[in-house]
Amino acid sequence: MILQVTTAVGAIVGALVGVNADPRVVYLVFGLVLLYAAASMALPRSDRAPALGADPLRLGAAFRDPATATDVAYVPKRIGLGLGVSSGAGVLSGMLGVGGGVVMVPTMNLLMNVPVKAAVGTSTFMVGITSVATAFVFYANGFVDPTVVVPAVVGVFLGGQIGPRLTRRLRAQRLSLLFALILLYLGGSLVLRAFGITLPGQR
Amino acid sequence: LAPTYAAAGRVLAWSFRVGAGLLVTGLLLAIFRGEPLGHELDPLGEIVPSLLAGRAAGVVDLAILWLMASPVFAVVAVAAGFLRLGDRRYALLSLLVLAVLAASILLALVR
């Protein structure tokens, strides 16, 4: 909730900027963000939290990791830095119409020492809230297309049923690598599109 | 905190089911009546008359707006959970997030 305040405010600012931006700039920014996310996902990341230390804001938490059958306790660090980066993530997600998870997961994991699985779970909850902040700005500008939303909702629903089951079975490192490859393809194709180049099979 | 998070999860799941139900209803109406869907969501002021007239596009628009707003219900559940626990700091933060979201939604409604 602490990060969500600045992320949501940033997202509204980003959405207001995004509706007036040149599409090529949006493609380029989004593509570069995805390439950054791909690189950070491909790098090996530790799922072990560092020493707990002081917890004046009572932010500490714990969860059971089924992959390693261990309890993981952690206390998020560098809250001020996290707030700053999350407001930037909010601006970016608002500009690009994404939930900000591609920025928030590395932020929480690499900067705030939150274990990657907790970062993914927290980010999933935040993405929905950040999306509300931006979706209504895009709605106000007539950028929500029902003919696109309907099939997307069906796809997201089906994927949402399958994804968590696959996540439990796949090892985190393989999952990260698969995610990185998909982000690399998407990010690369968007950067190319910003310069007027489309890959085979794309419109 | 586990009951609070579980309550938020249940609220999200039921909200999605309601939205999906509305969406399916709207789609079935569109298919059986041969009504095309627009490429843009109508303003709220036009959705209500469209719903009252029983038009498929009105039902689909309402479903999409409902799905867009669903996370707000989860934040309300989280705020209520913190208030029940007597955790004023996080209840206040949750209410602050709700205020930001309300501002965003108001921006859309006054277009």
Side-chain angles (χ1 to χ4, degrees), chain A residues 57 59 132-133 136 139-140 157, chain B residues 16 42 44 68 90 104 108 111:
Chain A
L57 295 173
L59 296 173
V132 175
F136 279 89
Y139 164 57
F157 176 73
Chain B
F16 183 83
D42 288 332
L44 198 63
M68 278 163 58
Y90 285 101
S104 167
R111 69 162 164 162

Side-chain angles (χ1 to χ4, degrees), chain A residues 1-2 4-5 8-9 12 56-59 125 128-129 132-133 135-136 139-140 142 144-147 149-150 153 157, chain B residues 16 23 27 38-44 64-65 68 71-72 75 87 89-90 93-94 96-97 100-101 104-105 108 111:
Chain A
M1 276 301 158
I2 289 178
Q4 190 60 68
V5 177
V9 172
I12 295 173
L57 295 173
R58 291 182 289 115
L59 296 173
F125 182 69
I129 300 167
V132 175
F136 279 89
Y139 164 57
V144 181
D145 184 346
T147 60
V149 171
V150 173
V153 167
F157 176 73
Chain B
F16 183 83
L23 200 61
L27 277 179
H39 283 278
E40 189 181 321
L41 280 189
D42 288 332
L44 198 63
I64 293 171
L65 285 180
M68 278 163 58
V72 176
V75 180
D87 193 332
R89 179 190 293 173
Y90 285 101
L93 276 172
S94 306
L96 194 57
V97 172
V100 172
L101 297 182
S104 167
I105 292 171
R111 69 162 164 162

Side-chain angles (χ1 to χ4, degrees), chain A residues 7 10-11 84-95 98-101 103-104 107 130:
Chain A
T7 310
V85 175
S86 65
S87 60
V91 172
L92 210 56
S93 64
M95 247 179 92
V98 296
V103 179
M104 288 314 299
T107 299
T130 309

